[in-house]
Amino acid sequence: MHSPQESKTSLLSDASKRLQQAMAYVDISEDAIARLQHPKTSLTVSIPVRMDDGSLKVFSGYRVRYEDTRGAGKGGVRYHPGVTLDEVQSLAFWMTFKCALLDLPFGGAKGGITVNPKELSKAELERLSRGYIDAIADAIGVDIDILAPDVYTNAVIMGWMMDQYSTIQRKLCRGVVTGKPLALGGSKGRDTATAMGAFTVIQAMLSKFKLITEETTVAIQGFGNAGSILAGLLAEAGYKVVAVSDSKGGIYAPQGLDIASVKEHKNQSREMKAVYCQDTVCSIIEHQVISNQELLALDVDILIPAALENQVNQDNAADIKAKYIFEVANGPINSDADQILSQRGIYVFPDILVNAGGVTVSYFEWVQNRSGWYWTLDEVNQRLRDKMQIEAEQVWQLSQELNISIRTAAYVHALKRLGIALDAKGNRNYFRS
Ligand code: NAD
């Protein structure tokens, strides 16, 4: 994650610099801006968990609802040893802008537990997840704040969380959590939604630059839910995915990687290697083992950070050689690095646009849970693609018309919607006149 502790303490203030940059281009009241500079509620909880050996461990957990004027809070839950309140607040801030950018009827929220889930047994993980819901139950709800998966949480954990909340409420509350297993009211296409949304944005935006797909090289940092599925979609479409990585490091093959084989090998052995399999015969192909820092600095056309925040910062921004960066992770580039990249003419497509496919299909899941009418995979994917294309195009047009970065354009687009909603509650001009 963002290893140095000091870099974490400033995550929220760094995130809100993007708001300040966008303010200059939006006719928005001072009152609305004042509200957007502070999270609405920040809950810190302690979660006691009985471990398998009989001992008791107490974990710290958080749930932040940043803003909910446009609708109930919406945001994932992260399990990671580096989780802090500051990080959860920044993630909730980004969710606020992401939901407004996609015109979803949600505000922004986020949650997390400071834990290394790899060190827990499955039973301990279940007790921790249910304990988290016990601790935050009063702060969430189908029309209050809706949970979803994030780093190191998945559909099974979402199922436990929905079940625990329903037990507390004494009724089935499917819509309080999205990203659930299909059998518990999940939506078709939710597992692939973030990658599918990112793929749609990449295709739509690269069409502006007339690149030849087969000659376009891609490096992806993070080979989890979002990164590995996106790698597969890009490879299938003909892009040359030359490097991928996980928390332990990466692999690089200039001729391109067979992503399906890399995925299969990683699933079986938990190691990342360029192993290609044909029928039952598998062989390791020539590849370099590289660090995450080396991956970020590769001479590729497209760089996709899909792991964690603050990966590209003032220390390594000058080393980046990619011409286009698509942020699949939340906050992978800090504001200092943004300036350096912009001066160097690198196009950065921001997280609140690129990774919004996940929350968009989470919205679809919430709608399906409330209506009891479930959609086909084709319906989900078509609606996702339509939404992503429309909003990506509007962001692009804004950036061209105002001659501003694509990130600032994305914030301007979202801020306009947030401003209208916040001002509809009344602002100082209304009360003075
Ligand atoms: P995940 O837990 O499935 O995968 C995370 C990946 O990052 C893993 O491959 C892990 O090994 C790798 N990783 C962890 N620490 C790393 C490090 N220090 N350097 C390099 N790689 C590292 O998580 P995910 O759901 O794929 O989420 C990845 C990013 O995408 C996060 O920033 C998340 O907030 C964002 N995101 C995810 C979704 C979603 O629906 N999954 C939606 C929006 C945004």
Side-chain angles (χ1 to χ4, degrees), residues 206-356:
L206 288 185
S207 69
K208 318 274 177 205
F209 300 95
K210 315 247 180 303
L211 299 184
I212 297 165
T213 307
E214 287 70 22
E215 291 172 11
T216 306
T217 52
V218 186
I220 304 181
Q221 184 202 33
F223 203 63
N225 178 302
S228 71
I229 297 174
L230 178 57
L233 290 173
L234 289 167
E236 265 170 46
Y239 291 90
K240 232 193 229 186
V241 181
V242 295
V244 293
S245 70
D246 63 14
S247 57
K248 297 195 194 91
I251 50 174
Y252 171 53
Q255 71 276 24
L257 292 160
D258 177 348
I259 296 301
S261 289
V262 174
K263 224 184 261 187
E264 201 178 312
H265 188 75
K266 183 169 156 79
N267 286 345
Q268 280 165 9
S269 67
R270 302 186 130 224
E271 274 180 40
M272 193 169 264
K273 280 198 178 135
V275 180
Y276 289 6
C277 301
Q278 267 186 340
D279 301 323
T280 53
V281 184
C282 294
S283 60
I284 295 184
I285 65 135
E286 205 177 312
H287 65 274
Q288 263 173 267
V289 173
I290 54 170
S291 68
N292 269 294
Q293 283 308 315
E294 287 168 332
L295 180 140
L296 294 172
L298 282 176
D299 188 3
V300 287
D301 298 304
I302 301 174
L303 175 64
I304 302 182
L308 296 159
E309 53 270 35
N310 215 20
Q311 297 298 301
V312 181
N313 47 49
Q314 55 281 21
D315 298 333
N316 62 359
D319 302 332
I320 304 293
K321 296 180 196 72
K323 295 162 205 74
Y324 309 94
I325 305 181
F326 289 86
E327 293 183 325
V328 168
N330 284 304
I333 300 177
N334 76 6
S335 59
D336 291 338
D338 237 2
Q339 279 188 355
I340 300 169
L341 297 172
S342 152
Q343 280 157 9
R344 295 184 51 221
I346 295 170
Y347 288 91
V348 176
F349 294 87
D351 46 7
I352 60 168
L353 171 65
V354 177
N355 72 27

Side-chain angles (χ1 to χ4, degrees), residues 89-286:
Q89 287 177 332
S90 337
L91 289 160
F93 169 91
W94 287 317
M95 285 305 296
T96 305
F97 284 84
K98 195 183 300 181
C99 291
L101 174 60
L102 268 287
D103 207 9
L104 308 178
F106 288 140
K110 204 79 182 189
I113 302 178
T114 314
V115 58
N116 183 354
K118 292 176 190 167
E119 288 172 358
L120 300 189
S121 72
K122 286 191 176 143
E124 288 166 346
L125 198 61
E126 177 173 359
R127 290 195 284 274
L128 175 67
S129 304
R130 291 184 182 275
Y132 175 65
I133 295 300
D134 289 342
I136 66 163
D138 289 339
I140 60 173
V142 179
D143 287 312
I144 303 170
D145 183 354
I146 302 139
L147 280 52
D150 191 69
V151 174
Y152 295 149
T153 54
N154 56 24
V156 174
I157 295 174
M158 295 306 112
W160 293 332
M161 289 184 171
M162 185 276 287
D163 184 54
Q164 188 65 19
Y165 184 77
S166 298
T167 303
I168 293 167
Q169 298 298 325
R170 294 271 183 259
K171 62 179 178 186
L172 191 57
C173 303
R174 290 197 150 157
V176 72
V177 177
T178 59
K180 303 180 291 292
L182 283 182
L184 298 180
S187 173
K188 292 200 168 98
R190 175 61 185 87
D191 49 348
T192 51
T194 303
M196 183 70 85
F199 179 70
T200 305
V201 173
I202 293 171
Q203 291 276 71
M205 293 298 103
L206 288 185
S207 69
K208 318 274 177 205
F209 300 95
K210 315 247 180 303
L211 299 184
I212 297 165
T213 307
E214 287 70 22
E215 291 172 11
T216 306
T217 52
V218 186
I220 304 181
Q221 184 202 33
F223 203 63
N225 178 302
S228 71
I229 297 174
L230 178 57
L233 290 173
L234 289 167
E236 265 170 46
Y239 291 90
K240 232 193 229 186
V241 181
V242 295
V244 293
S245 70
D246 63 14
S247 57
K248 297 195 194 91
I251 50 174
Y252 171 53
Q255 71 276 24
L257 292 160
D258 177 348
I259 296 301
S261 289
V262 174
K263 224 184 261 187
E264 201 178 312
H265 188 75
K266 183 169 156 79
N267 286 345
Q268 280 165 9
S269 67
R270 302 186 130 224
E271 274 180 40
M272 193 169 264
K273 280 198 178 135
V275 180
Y276 289 6
C277 301
Q278 267 186 340
D279 301 323
T280 53
V281 184
C282 294
S283 60
I284 295 184
I285 65 135
E286 205 177 312

